[in-house]
């Protein structure tokens, strides 16, 4: 069974940093494009970042480029999102997801972790 | 960026009645490989999103056959043939043709 379990969220001051983790089971993270998607309180879904399944790199939303870094540890089968220079507008539930948009219908989502940026 | 526009944003439906949600993209989602890079997701209250339809018209594993998706390059539709109480939530379309992936605003389905 495919499972994605996020952790690492919490309360952080503006300008601070957090690292989110997404532990995967039932599949290997290195074989799929993996994503982070966020949802501000009461708002819709917003795509944040993607890491490719080969070494061709990553993509970011304009709003986080230069501040957030997506990565994975194949040995731990875990996806990460390093978030620096956090702003109030980064407050959201952050979901990791597998295979968004795959023609094989492989999309799966974690349960999300809440990040609150506030002083 | 590709802009995704859903309508309606609110959809009250009586149980057993059909429902339809429209999703329009600002550019064609038909790739040269023949796939349409359009997914539909349902987010039930308090839950994570769940894949309903991929590639515009294919039901994901375990999705009831009362859900169907259709559409061409820029206009897509999600239909529920007979709405049930468990179908309440927010429905999102999402394009995956190019980054940044973009979602529609969401359509909130409620039971009358």
């Amino acid at each position: 069974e495919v499972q994605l379990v996020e952790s690492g969220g919490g309360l952080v001051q503006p300008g601070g940093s957090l690292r989110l983790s997404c532990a995967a089971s039932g599949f290997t993270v290195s074989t799929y494009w993996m994503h982070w998607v966020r949802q501000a309180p009461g708002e819709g879904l917003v795509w944040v970042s993607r890491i490719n399944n080969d070494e061709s790199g990553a993509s970011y939303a304009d709003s986080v480029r230069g501040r957030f870094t997506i990565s994975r540890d194949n040995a731990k089968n875990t996806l990460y999102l390093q978030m620096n220079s956090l702003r109030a507008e980064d407050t959201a539930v952050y979901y990791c997801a597998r295979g968004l948009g795959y023609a094989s219908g492989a999309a799966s989502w974690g349960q999300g972790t809440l990040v609150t940026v506030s002083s | 960026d590709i802009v995704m526009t859903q309508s309606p944003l609110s959809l009250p439906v009586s149980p057993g009645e059909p429902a339809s949600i429209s999703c329009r993209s600002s550019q064609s989602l038909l790739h040269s490989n023949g796939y349409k890079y359009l997914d539909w997701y349902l987010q039930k209250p308090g839950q994570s999103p769940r894949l309903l339809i991929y590639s515009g018209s294919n039901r994901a594993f375990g999705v009831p056959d009362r859900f169907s998706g259709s559409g061409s390059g820029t206009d897509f539709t999600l239909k529920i043939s007979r709405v049930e109480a468990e179908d309440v939530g927010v429905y999102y379309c999402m394009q995956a043709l190019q980054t940044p992936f973009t979602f529609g605003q969401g359509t909130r389905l409620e039971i009358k």
Side-chain angles (χ1 to χ4, degrees), chain B residues 49-92:
Chain B
R50 170 198 176 190
L51 178 67
L52 293 177
I53 302 289
Y54 63 95
S55 297
S57 59
N58 298 284
R59 267 191 308 277
F61 180 77
V63 174
D65 60 8
R66 64 179 182 274
F67 290 91
S68 64
S70 63
S72 59
T74 60
D75 288 284
F76 297 88
T77 303
L78 175 70
K79 292 183 178 179
I80 309 173
S81 59
R82 296 173 305 280
V83 170
E84 298 186 4
E86 65 180 25
D87 298 336
V88 298
V90 181
Y91 291 78
Y92 295 94

Side-chain angles (χ1 to χ4, degrees), chain A residues 35 39 44-45 47 50 59 95 100-105 107 109-111, chain B residues 35 37 39 41 43 47-49 51 54-55 92 94 96 99-101 103:
Chain A
H35 305 256
Q39 186 171 37
L45 300 169
W47 178 86
R50 178 189 77 193
S59 301
Y95 297 99
L100 301 185
Y102 268 40
S104 61
W109 297 67
Q111 86 289 350
Chain B
Y35 287 112
Y37 283 85
D39 289 350
Y41 295 91
Q43 186 173 33
Q47 296 186 17
S48 306
L51 178 67
Y54 63 95
S55 297
Y92 295 94
M94 183 205 79
T99 56
F101 288 7
F103 293 86

